Amino acid sequence: MSSVPYGNGNEARNNLRAIVVGGSIGGLATAAVLNSQGGWDVKVYEKSSGDLSKRGAGIFTTSPMLACLQKLGILPEGDDMGRVGVPLNERWLIDKEGEKLYTYAGISQISGSWSTVYSHCRACMNPENYHQGVEVESYTVSEEGVEVTFKDNTRRPERCDVLIGADGSSSKIRSLLIDEITRKFDPLTIENVLGRMEADRNLQDIFQAVDSIGTGVKNARGEESDGASSTTRTRENSRNRNFIELKEQLLKSLESSRRPSFANYVAYRFVLPEKSVAAINPHWFHKFCFWASRDEIFVLCYPMVGYEQNTQTGDRLWNTVCYVKPTKEQQRTIQDASSAALAVDNATLQSLRTTLEKFLPTELVELFLGDFSQKMCHPVSEFHMPLVTNCSRVVLIGDAATTHRPHPAVGTTKAIEDAIALGRCLKERKTLPCPTAATLQPDMARTDTISIAAGLLEYNNERVPKQRLAYDHGRTVGGCLFGDRSGGNVKESDLALLKKAVRLTARYSDDVKCEIESN
């Protein structure tokens, strides 16, 4: 592995080097965090060769998220929030006749544009270190670093100190990470687990990261004695069984996270001009509006900045997301919940029209379906990774680590929070390597490896519980909208559950706090 150079082979080894796979907002924010600290050389590789600024629609740019972007220099200090979004302070649940069924006020959110936030992040990235149309094929980890190979065989492999997967819900790095951990854990048995842990610090770190039942990973042999009495052996066997049970739980959970699971409903997205909406009802555009019928449909609409980041009255857009059950044809075609989009044929379009006409004003239905060539349909999917690092040199952030249902409206915020936390954890543990890998003294190489590993373990233990909160919150809202009643929902009426969903989609976003550390 020492024959594989850092970067292109001509770079000075004065800094640690990171490769970020995924050039969307999370990947760009991670690069910005590490670059702001100094001591890092960061390259970003994005599989898509197209213009990412045209992707995405409305997002919630919360005040904490904007503070993070300002802290990183992505947005100017004191930037007017109105330039990146439209403030919203009230939510309405509306019936077919346009009458309000429920109002939820007192929140503070900014309805923004994904494209706007992405464009600001992209502008802060050195173009020489941002590479599009490049797909990672595999990686190999050693104490010297991570060797990254690419699908394009003409591109030379590169080596880095930290590999960061920010490549979304269909993450290639997540799949490779699951393969790596599975290979490491498969040989463990009741008979050999403690011995292998003694010989491999990385195994201890991984067990510690997923140890929620207190099996005592760091002192796995602490109770043994030279006499090896029957009581001691019994205790050891009990500990061994605990580790093997933990191993089996981990591998099962990781495998279930390889691909997102379909949540049994789909999302149609529409982006409408402000003037068209205002012509139907001028009050709707300035509110967060919902039309819903439990287990049938949930439509949410809100304003966002217009094209070219235009926030002028009359030139803004109305982002609409319509959640419905899939048609039988869609249900048959959904093999992989992470698929980019679902085909919308005439039969599907007619089914959607029939559902919309039952619950929405006719004028609004015609506006939604007037030009369906620009509409998108995606399966709602989810997964949660219980471990987002190999505890040595590879780590996941954002949707690559956990993809939750869209209802919490914090996907972008979560990715930026992950980037901030990862940068802080690595900064606290960072040690600079020697000029070349060939001259590394063994102790110094181990120090570098252990320092990075400790930082990734700290990041994992901090962020996985928070990622789980967003995952659980999305499932809670989804349970209010579709599917069987369970838990506390059993005795609640349909209207009560819809009101609860309206509140929950607001309250989680409003409560999210980004941790900002001074550099």
Side-chain angles (χ1 to χ4, degrees):
M1 187 167 174
S2 60
S3 62
V4 178
Y6 280 85
N8 58 21
N10 299 318
E11 299 174 7
R13 273 298 268 143
N14 296 322
N15 294 336
L16 287 174
R17 188 164 186 277
I19 288 179
V20 179
V21 180
S24 189
I25 291 175
L28 290 170
T30 302
V33 170
L34 297 179
N35 285 329
S36 70
Q37 294 177 355
W40 285 95
D41 294 322
V42 185
K43 286 187 176 180
V44 176
Y45 291 97
E46 165 58 40
K47 179 172 68 173
S48 172
S49 57
D51 183 3
L52 299 188
S53 67
K54 304 301 182 183
R55 294 185 177 183
I59 61 173
F60 284 100
T61 49
T62 61
S63 297
M65 188 185 86
L66 290 175
C68 285
L69 295 174
Q70 291 168 352
K71 186 68 178 180
L72 296 175
I74 294 173
L75 287 178
E77 291 286 348
D79 195 7
D80 180 13
M81 293 182 191
R83 194 170 68 83
V84 297
V86 181
L88 287 173
N89 296 306
E90 200 168 74
R91 297 185 173 217
W92 290 357
L93 179 61
I94 307 172
D95 66 13
K96 179 176 172 59
E97 285 69 40
E99 298 297 322
K100 285 190 291 182
L101 299 174
Y102 177 62
T103 299
Y104 182 70
I107 63 172
S108 176
Q109 291 177 293
I110 302 165
S111 168
S113 164
W114 186 94
S115 298
T116 301
V117 177
Y118 169 82
S119 297
H120 283 299
C121 292
R122 182 71 178 84
C124 294
M125 184 73 198
N126 184 343
E128 294 182 358
N129 293 329
Y130 187 87
H131 307 276
Q132 284 193 260
V134 180
E135 188 172 354
V136 169
E137 179 67 23
S138 63
Y139 70 76
T140 305
V141 179
S142 76
E143 285 194 355
E144 293 179 1
V146 186
E147 178 183 326
V148 180
T149 58
F150 301 94
K151 199 166 187 178
D152 180 358
N153 293 329
T154 63
R155 180 176 287 273
R156 192 176 183 182
E158 294 193 27
R159 187 153 51 86
C160 59
D161 298 289
V162 180
L163 175 63
I164 301 165
D167 47 341
S169 62
S170 302
S171 171
K172 173 73 170 183
I173 302 303
R174 182 177 72 252
S175 184
L176 294 172
L177 177 64
I178 292 171
D179 290 341
E180 179 194 355
I181 294 172
T182 300
R183 288 193 301 269
K184 182 180 284 288
F185 272 64
D186 264 344
L188 297 183
T189 66
I190 290 178
E191 291 74 21
N192 69 18
V193 60
L194 291 182
R196 285 180 177 262
M197 285 174 61
E198 279 191 336
D200 188 347
R201 167 65 181 269
N202 182 239
L203 276 175
Q204 296 184 35
D205 287 342
I206 294 175
F207 266 123
Q208 182 183 351
V210 298
D211 183 13
S212 61
I213 59 174
T215 52
V217 175
K218 283 197 170 183
N219 299 303
R221 288 186 172 269
E223 295 183 9
E224 281 194 278
S225 64
D226 294 337
S229 66
S230 60
T231 301
T232 300
R233 285 193 296 272
T234 299
R235 289 173 177 172
E236 179 180 343
N237 289 337
S238 177
R239 287 198 304 275
N240 290 2
R241 283 193 296 271
N242 284 341
F243 285 123
I244 296 306
E245 288 175 4
L246 194 61
K247 161 205 161 181
E248 292 171 352
Q249 293 169 9
L250 171 64
L251 295 185
K252 181 179 180 180
S253 182
L254 288 176
E255 189 58 37
S256 69
S257 303
R258 190 181 293 274
R259 292 184 178 182
S261 300
F262 180 44
N264 294 319
Y265 53 103
V266 299
Y268 291 88
R269 299 180 185 275
F270 315 99
V271 178
L272 307 173
E274 177 180 359
K275 291 178 181 178
S276 298
V277 177
I280 299 174
N281 188 317
H283 302 293
W284 287 349
F285 186 83
H286 301 283
K287 307 297 179 184
F288 201 132
C289 296
F290 298 82
W291 286 266
S293 176
R294 190 179 186 280
D295 214 27
E296 292 187 89
I297 189 171
F298 188 72
V299 178
L300 60 149
C301 309
Y302 55 90
M304 68 179 194
V305 297
Y307 298 113
E308 304 298 328
Q309 303 177 19
N310 192 336
T311 58
Q312 295 298 314
T313 300
D315 294 328
R316 296 168 296 185
L317 299 172
W318 211 41
N319 189 56
T320 299
V321 184
C322 173
Y323 298 104
V324 295
K325 290 292 189 71
T327 64
K328 291 182 179 180
E329 182 61 30
Q330 286 177 328
Q331 185 75 57
R332 284 194 293 267
T333 59
I334 296 174
Q335 301 294 328
D336 179 358
S338 64
S339 59
L342 296 172
V344 181
D345 57 19
N346 289 334
T348 302
L349 186 58
Q350 184 57 48
S351 175
L352 177 63
R353 174 182 289 276
T354 299
T355 304
L356 290 173
E357 287 177 343
K358 286 174 62 178
F359 304 106
L360 273 70
T362 302
E363 302 93 333
L364 199 55
V365 175
E366 294 304 322
L367 191 58
F368 286 161
L369 302 182
D371 178 14
F372 208 80
S373 62
Q374 300 300 314
K375 312 305 187 286
M376 299 178 289
C377 180
H378 295 266
V380 176
S381 58
E382 61 187 356
F383 73 89
H384 171 68
M385 280 279 282
L387 179 72
V388 297
T389 177
N390 63 357
C391 298
S392 60
R393 292 185 180 273
V394 182
V395 67
L396 305 173
I397 73 160
D399 284 347
T402 291
T403 293
H404 53 75
R405 303 187 197 190
H407 312 305
V410 291
T412 301
T413 297
K414 177 169 64 70
I416 295 174
E417 284 185 311
D418 286 350
I420 292 283
L422 178 61
R424 173 174 47 74
C425 292
L426 289 176
K427 179 182 179 181
E428 292 172 353
R429 302 287 185 171
K430 185 172 66 175
T431 58
L432 291 178
C434 293
T436 64
T439 63
L440 283 173
Q441 298 296 321
D443 289 344
M444 298 182 72
R446 282 196 297 270
T447 298
D448 176 45
T449 303
I450 292 172
S451 296
I452 292 175
L456 297 185
L457 177 60
E458 180 182 353
Y459 165 83
N460 179 88
N461 294 345
E462 176 182 329
R463 293 305 301 166
V464 167
K466 295 181 180 180
Q467 293 162 354
R468 180 76 197 198
L469 285 175
Y471 173 82
D472 288 342
H473 192 87
R475 290 175 65 86
T476 298
V477 178
C480 293
L481 305 178
F482 296 99
D484 297 334
R485 298 173 182 271
S486 60
N489 293 341
V490 174
K491 297 181 180 180
E492 294 185 79
S493 69
D494 286 350
L495 182 57
L497 287 172
L498 293 175
K499 290 179 179 180
K500 181 178 179 180
V502 169
R503 294 193 302 272
L504 289 175
T505 56
R507 290 170 59 187
Y508 185 89
S509 299
D510 194 42
D511 291 341
V512 165
K513 303 298 181 184
C514 282
E515 182 179 273
I516 305 172
E517 299 289 335
S518 56
N519 295 318

